[in-house]
Amino acid sequence: MKKELNILAISGSLRNQSSNTLLMHAMIKLATPNLRFQVYDGLNDLPHFNPDLDIEEGPVPVQNWRERLEHSDGVLICTPEYGNGVPGALKNALDWIVSSGEWLNKPTIVIAASPNPMGGDKADASLC
Ligand SMILES: Cc1cc2nc3c(=O)[nH]c(=O)nc-3n(C[C@H](O)[C@H](O)[C@H](O)COP(=O)(O)O)c2cc1C
């Protein structure tokens, strides 16, 4: 039997009808049963990154974000590309874990759903 793995799934889009969020849920449905997904939908709750608040007992949404990442074995990201880069809300979330390091060495899948012929390649590249 394959080892059970906890995967944190994140959509980089805050839009209600987001194609990336739909894609993320489709991937969760189609995944093999040993992958247990949890959706992180707190991007909109995180305060703007501020190094002055980047302390162990930081803001509650930041503590929650760090704990969710820490307890996952891997990460799935489905994100749009905005202005040739990662959407601000997702970049903000990444800034909060630079110093605490919960994402270090976690296998991560990045997918960008975009109508652009380049398919969100720059958002993908900046996350790899
Ligand atoms: C302000 C803005 C900037 C965008 N910039 C890019 C871009 O640089 N590259 C790209 O491939 N798509 C870009 N797009 C298109 C989005 O990637 C596309 O709308 C995507 O499907 C939105 O994802 P969602 O449906 O998950 O919200 C942009 C869209 C918006 C609204």
Side-chain angles (χ1 to χ4, degrees):
M1 203 171 110
K2 283 187 189 164
K3 190 181 164 204
E4 296 216 326
L5 296 170
N6 294 312
I7 309 295
L8 194 62
I10 305 164
S11 170
S13 176
L14 302 179
R15 214 165 61 81
N16 274 336
Q17 300 297 320
S18 160
S19 49
N20 282 281
T21 304
L22 288 172
L23 180 63
M24 178 187 77
H25 285 292
M27 290 188 69
I28 292 173
K29 251 190 196 163
L30 294 170
T32 54
N34 65 308
L35 300 181
R36 283 192 309 231
F37 285 88
Q38 276 194 26
V39 174
Y40 176 72
D41 58 5
L43 289 188
N44 216 11
D45 302 327
L46 292 170
H48 290 159
F49 177 71
N50 177 348
D52 291 339
L53 304 177
D54 189 11
I55 49 177
E56 216 159 295
E57 297 268 314
V60 171
V62 175
Q63 288 176 35
N64 174 268
W65 163 229
R66 288 175 171 165
E67 279 166 23
R68 300 282 298 276
L69 256 182
E70 192 170 3
H71 294 116
S72 69
D73 301 304
V75 181
L76 165 66
I77 298 178
C78 296
T79 184
E81 177 176 289
Y82 289 158
N84 294 329
V86 174
L90 181 56
K91 175 66 170 67
N92 184 51
L94 299 180
D95 288 343
W96 279 112
I97 44 95
V98 168
S99 63
S100 51
E102 288 82 2
W103 208 320
L104 283 177
N105 300 319
K106 290 216 194 260
T108 300
I109 293 176
V110 179
I111 295 179
S114 168
N116 185 305
M118 298 306 287
D121 61 332
K122 290 170 283 303
D124 270 359
S126 70
L127 288 166
C128 293

